[in-house]
Amino acid sequence: MRFLHTADWHLGRKLFGYDLLAEQQASFAQVVKIAQAEQVDAVVIAGDLYDRQNPSEEAVRLLNQMISDLNLTLKQPLLVINGNHDSAVRLGVGSQWFEQTGYYLRTTLNSVDHPIVIGDSQFFLLPYFELYQARQFFDDETIHTLAQAMTALVARMMAQFDASKKHILVAHFFAAGSTHSDSETSINVGGLDAVPLNLLTDFDYVALGHIHNKDALHEPRVRYSGSLNKFSLSEVNQTKGVLIVDTEPEIKVRFRPITPLHEVQQLTGAFADLSDANYLQKHGIDQAAYTGIVLTDTNVISNASNRLKQQFPRFLTMSRANGVQFSQQRTLATTKQQTPQDLLADFYQTVTGQPLTDQQVAWAAKALKETEQ
Amino acid sequence: MRFLHTADWHLGRKLFGYDLLAEQQASFAQVVKIAQAEQVDAVVIAGDLYDRQNPSEEAVRLLNQMISDLNLTLKQPLLVINGNHDSAVRLGVGSQWFEQTGYYLRTTLNSVDHPIVIGDSQFFLLPYFELYQARQFFDDETIHTLAQAMTALVARMMAQFDASKKHILVAHFFAAGSTHSDSETSINVGGLDAVPLNLLTDFDYVALGHIHNKDALHEPRVRYSGSLNKFSLSEVNQTKGVLIVDTEPEIKVRFRPITPLHEVQQLTGAFADLSDANYLQKHGIDQAAYTGIVLTDTNVISNASNRLKQQFPRFLTMSRANGVQFSQQRTLATTKQQTPQDLLADFYQTVTGQPLTDQQVAWAAKALKETEQ
């Protein structure tokens, strides 16, 4: 069989205050097209459908529409779990009704050993859980690490393995060895939060959510699909999309990219260039993208952000590659090792445009010496 | 056919800070028993399932369990609308799936003219709506009152009337002529909020939600079921329950009461009695009830609330029938008609325990006279 693996939709997320619902809707429309073109037998969504435990009405309305489009209009079987950003209770409302149309939404550990069989594959849906939930589920107070919990859960699942089928795990956690970015929320603290890869070797494929970078883990059969959209400037160089997984005759994974409605980009350059419409057009720079700007200039530029925003309506933030130099002196960014006397001289020159006179230097030295005593 | 009419569950509501979920669950269990004993063909819930637009996880979990018990376990058809306390979007999630099992949850005006037929009756489900939604629905900016909106909506529904069927309206509004209590939230302001009864005459029965008192309206076929629980001390004398409606051969309505897990009561009496366990037991007073107390005493009683709480673990609030008398003088509560001179004399006596001297009376009279001038 063939399925589409996606995760980390984070509906309701904002990027530097910009609402992303229209972006997310546009990415979803491409997921639908890919699912149809690939004629997949199921769509797997591995958690973090929402960005918040208590999402806005707009996010709730959008997700309900998306799921309804996929499952009711297109008759697409869905295999869905909650992630750490979702409220298991709120997301899980109605799940008892959904299975009638092949929408399998699992938000508790109770059915972790009730795999869903589609074609040649058993799908085990493991929702995101807290350790206390694993202790309750197993009635075992000795469970104190995610590795312990996962060992017990995997054993429970393996007891249901049908040897004639492929075994697919859908889960939402941090797999040991993955690289983090700044756009995922840390799931746990204290080093208990990583799932060792050796616990996952009995599965033919592990469809993971949590990490937004599809290349965060270098395991052929333990994969993050990544998010559908870029949620941080740290993700500008990532390609977003979904994974298409064939189970026959062998597991085969292909990446299908998604073109964002508007790109997220980071530009580095001189203010004179980046604030010049002609320059931008000549160099084919995407002015509609969500744009973070790093200026190479070191001089003070008045009203720089607002002037950049005129060229980039989705302007995000501005920073400096080389600090700001208030005069011809060394920049403030390089002053860390200076003496108080040097700092005072720099400050005076920056503010007045003139160096200290000899008399002023003497006065300053005297005052600083008194202060030190 | 026969149906059960209920409304105003208000899951998540608190009473003087007490969580009522266990009370609401106990009342619901009796609704289930009544529905089974009466072998009803449908259960109608006419809005305000939740108390808040954004209910707690506990309330969400409880409603999901209740609805699942009724519809999935007991195979009970359900006809449900949102009330003004519910978020139409949040409550409505999954409604497209629910109809497969006969759970008809309507939260928009779109299907107001798509009646649900059960037995000999057409059920028209009219969710609570704001006037702007009616203007959008009819694309008519001239709709400015609820009466205008209802006129148009009723016409839309009547166009679907099957003359061979009974016509039942399920709605959530304030019907003109009903008596308000302090536990409903006013739906609208400015006198636009009442639906005239003459708009409802073409229906054989109107199953209403909003008013918590089943006796708020004296119309045989336009009925509030009332809430399942008492949500205010103003409701202590109301009997809570559900309505059982038979449609054949004629509309016949019966009330079936519900026994609360713990009563809500208001007691009026002397502190010495109400704080005395022997007295309470001898007079068969329900100490487990949610209890508001009105003291007939007029003297100051130290730590009265805490001492009453020892007898009434669900103590709500305390007030005085006759005010508080700080000394042997008349009570403060009866001073409204006194002259400033009398008030001053009373105040002095209350604070010092002594009457004004003749000299003080003269000084006071002089000062008050100067003030008046």
Side-chain angles (χ1 to χ4, degrees):
Chain A
M1 58 90 66
R2 173 180 290 177
F3 65 93
L4 184 152
H5 167 196
T6 176
D8 294 281
W9 290 7
H10 285 273
L11 297 184
R13 185 135 182 158
K14 290 179 189 291
L15 180 64
F16 288 86
Y18 290 93
D19 188 305
L20 296 179
L21 287 174
E23 311 290 334
Q24 293 169 316
Q25 197 160 13
S27 296
F28 171 77
Q30 292 178 65
V31 174
V32 171
K33 279 191 183 169
I34 294 169
Q36 289 183 289
E38 296 278 3
Q39 296 185 292
V40 298
D41 302 303
V43 170
V44 168
I45 314 175
D48 283 0
L49 286 82
Y50 289 120
D51 192 53
R52 291 166 41 195
Q53 302 272 326
N54 200 342
S56 68
E57 282 198 349
E58 290 68 31
V60 169
R61 184 187 284 115
L62 181 58
L63 182 64
N64 196 46
Q65 186 61 54
M66 288 172 165
I67 296 289
S68 153
D69 285 352
L70 272 177
N71 182 245
L72 295 181
T73 308
L74 301 174
K75 313 290 183 199
Q76 185 68 65
L78 299 182
L79 306 169
V80 182
I81 58 171
N82 60 293
N84 58 308
H85 279 252
D86 303 304
S87 156
V89 170
R90 293 182 194 279
L91 182 66
V93 167
S95 56
Q96 306 102 306
W97 282 265
F98 300 153
E99 302 214 349
Q100 303 166 96
T101 55
Y103 168 23
Y104 298 90
L105 169 61
R106 300 277 170 87
T107 58
T108 73
L109 293 178
N110 295 329
S111 43
V112 77
D113 54 358
H114 292 68
I116 296 124
V117 177
I118 301 180
D120 70 334
S121 295
Q122 285 183 305
F123 286 87
F124 292 84
L125 271 55
L126 175 63
Y128 172 76
F129 60 95
E130 303 279 350
L131 284 177
Y132 80 89
Q133 293 170 305
R135 286 193 285 271
Q136 286 178 354
F137 180 67
F138 288 108
D139 193 17
D140 179 353
E141 288 299 316
T142 69
I143 294 174
H144 291 295
T145 68
L146 189 53
Q148 286 175 296
M150 280 301 297
T151 302
L153 286 164
V154 169
R156 187 70 71 102
M157 291 186 250
M158 286 180 67
Q160 302 301 322
F161 272 20
D162 175 344
S164 70
K165 301 281 186 189
K166 296 285 198 313
H167 311 112
I168 317 285
L169 174 64
V170 179
H172 189 96
F173 53 62
F174 180 71
S178 310
T179 48
H180 260 302
S181 89
D182 66 355
S183 78
E184 301 101 17
T185 304
S186 178
I187 282 185
N188 230 314
V189 290
L192 310 178
D193 63 335
V195 173
L197 292 175
N198 62 9
L199 293 181
L200 308 173
T201 48
D202 290 300
F203 292 98
D204 294 285
Y205 184 80
V206 181
L208 288 176
H210 185 52
I211 305 288
H212 298 174
N213 178 3
K214 72 177 170 62
D215 301 316
L217 186 65
H218 299 286
E219 291 289 325
R221 293 186 180 184
V222 181
R223 301 287 291 263
Y224 287 102
S225 63
S227 55
L228 297 179
N229 291 83
K230 297 176 184 177
F231 296 129
S232 157
L233 283 170
S234 70
E235 298 181 26
V236 292
N237 295 322
Q238 296 175 15
T239 306
K240 299 299 188 182
V242 299
L243 297 174
I244 301 294
V245 183
D246 283 294
T247 60
E248 294 164 289
E250 292 271 287
I251 296 285
K252 198 183 110 192
V253 185
R254 287 173 292 130
F255 176 72
R256 292 278 315 251
I258 281 178
T259 306
L261 181 61
H262 299 99
E263 255 297 358
V264 180
Q265 66 186 354
Q266 176 105 278
L267 300 178
T268 301
F271 180 81
D273 293 338
L274 295 179
S275 61
D276 175 1
N278 291 330
Y279 175 90
L280 298 173
Q281 281 152 29
K282 185 173 155 194
H283 289 80
I285 290 172
D286 178 4
Q287 289 175 262
Y290 294 91
T291 304
I293 286 180
V294 181
L295 293 181
T296 51
D297 315 72
T298 58
N299 58 309
V300 174
I301 303 166
S302 85
N303 207 18
S305 291
N306 281 332
R307 288 160 71 190
L308 289 169
K309 195 159 188 172
Q310 289 172 9
Q311 300 306 327
F312 299 97
R314 294 181 185 81
F315 173 80
L316 301 177
T317 183
M318 181 188 84
S319 61
R320 298 281 193 152
N322 308 304
V324 181
Q325 192 174 9
F326 290 93
S327 67
Q328 281 74 26
Q329 297 294 309
R330 62 175 72 79
T331 67
L332 287 178
T334 62
T335 57
K336 283 176 190 159
Q337 302 306 318
Q338 293 180 300
T339 65
Q341 180 82 24
D342 288 340
L343 281 169
L344 179 67
D346 269 5
F347 178 71
Y348 186 88
Q349 171 119 12
T350 299
V351 173
T352 67
Q354 300 294 327
L356 290 171
T357 64
D358 289 353
Q359 180 63 60
Q360 286 170 322
V361 168
W363 284 335
K366 183 163 176 281
L368 285 167
K369 195 172 176 187
E370 285 170 4
T371 304
E372 280 169 14
Q373 288 165 348
Chain B
M1 59 87 67
R2 174 180 290 175
F3 64 93
L4 185 152
H5 168 195
T6 176
D8 295 281
W9 290 7
H10 284 274
L11 297 184
R13 184 135 181 157
K14 290 179 188 291
L15 180 63
F16 288 86
Y18 290 93
D19 188 304
L20 295 179
L21 287 175
E23 310 291 333
Q24 293 169 317
Q25 196 160 14
S27 296
F28 170 77
Q30 291 177 66
V31 174
V32 171
K33 279 191 183 168
I34 294 169
Q36 289 183 290
E38 296 278 2
Q39 296 186 289
V40 299
D41 301 305
V43 170
V44 168
I45 315 175
D48 283 0
L49 287 82
Y50 290 120
D51 192 52
R52 291 165 42 195
Q53 302 271 327
N54 199 342
S56 68
E57 282 198 350
E58 291 68 31
V60 170
R61 185 187 284 115
L62 180 58
L63 181 64
N64 196 45
Q65 186 61 53
M66 289 171 164
I67 296 289
S68 153
D69 286 352
L70 272 177
N71 181 246
L72 294 181
T73 308
L74 301 174
K75 313 289 183 200
Q76 185 68 65
L78 299 181
L79 307 170
V80 182
I81 58 170
N82 59 294
N84 58 309
H85 279 251
D86 303 303
S87 156
V89 170
R90 294 181 193 280
L91 182 67
V93 166
S95 56
Q96 306 103 306
W97 282 264
F98 300 153
E99 302 214 350
Q100 302 166 96
T101 57
Y103 168 22
Y104 297 89
L105 170 61
R106 300 277 169 87
T107 58
T108 72
L109 294 178
N110 295 329
S111 42
V112 76
D113 54 357
H114 292 68
I116 296 124
V117 178
I118 301 179
D120 70 335
S121 295
Q122 284 183 306
F123 286 86
F124 291 84
L125 270 55
L126 175 63
Y128 172 77
F129 61 93
E130 303 279 349
L131 284 177
Y132 80 89
Q133 293 171 305
R135 286 193 286 271
Q136 286 178 356
F137 180 67
F138 288 108
D139 193 17
D140 179 353
E141 287 299 316
T142 70
I143 296 175
H144 290 295
T145 68
L146 190 52
Q148 287 176 294
M150 279 301 297
T151 301
L153 286 164
V154 169
R156 186 71 70 103
M157 291 185 250
M158 286 181 67
Q160 303 301 322
F161 272 20
D162 176 343
S164 71
K165 302 280 185 190
K166 297 283 196 315
H167 310 112
I168 318 284
L169 174 64
V170 178
H172 189 97
F173 53 62
F174 180 70
S178 309
T179 48
H180 259 302
S181 89
D182 67 354
S183 78
E184 302 102 16
T185 305
S186 177
I187 282 183
N188 231 315
V189 290
L192 311 177
D193 62 335
V195 173
L197 291 175
N198 63 8
L199 293 181
L200 308 173
T201 47
D202 290 301
F203 293 98
D204 294 285
Y205 184 81
V206 181
L208 288 177
H210 185 52
I211 305 288
H212 297 175
N213 178 3
K214 71 176 172 61
D215 301 316
L217 186 66
H218 299 286
E219 291 288 326
R221 293 187 179 183
V222 181
R223 299 289 290 263
Y224 287 102
S225 64
S227 55
L228 297 180
N229 291 82
K230 298 176 184 177
F231 296 129
S232 158
L233 284 170
S234 70
E235 300 181 25
V236 291
N237 294 322
Q238 296 175 15
T239 306
K240 299 299 187 181
V242 299
L243 298 174
I244 301 294
V245 183
D246 283 295
T247 60
E248 293 164 289
E250 291 271 289
I251 295 285
K252 197 183 111 195
V253 185
R254 286 173 292 131
F255 176 72
R256 292 279 316 252
I258 280 178
T259 307
L261 180 61
H262 299 98
E263 255 298 357
V264 180
Q265 66 185 356
Q266 177 107 278
L267 300 178
T268 301
F271 181 80
D273 293 338
L274 296 179
S275 61
D276 176 0
N278 291 330
Y279 175 91
L280 298 173
Q281 280 151 31
K282 185 174 156 194
H283 289 80
I285 291 172
D286 179 2
Q287 290 175 262
Y290 294 90
T291 304
I293 286 180
V294 181
L295 292 182
T296 51
D297 315 72
T298 57
N299 58 310
V300 173
I301 303 166
S302 85
N303 208 19
S305 291
N306 281 332
R307 289 160 70 188
L308 289 169
K309 194 160 188 172
Q310 289 172 9
Q311 299 305 327
F312 299 97
R314 294 181 185 81
F315 173 80
L316 301 178
T317 183
M318 182 187 84
S319 60
R320 298 280 192 152
N322 308 304
V324 180
Q325 191 175 11
F326 291 94
S327 67
Q328 279 73 27
Q329 296 295 308
R330 63 173 73 79
T331 68
L332 288 177
T334 62
T335 57
K336 283 175 190 158
Q337 303 306 318
Q338 294 181 298
T339 64
Q341 179 83 24
D342 289 341
L343 280 169
L344 179 67
D346 269 5
F347 178 71
Y348 186 87
Q349 171 119 12
T350 298
V351 172
T352 66
Q354 300 295 326
L356 291 171
T357 64
D358 289 354
Q359 180 62 62
Q360 287 171 322
V361 168
W363 284 336
K366 185 162 175 280
L368 285 166
K369 196 172 174 187
E370 284 171 6
T371 305
E372 280 170 12
Q373 288 167 348

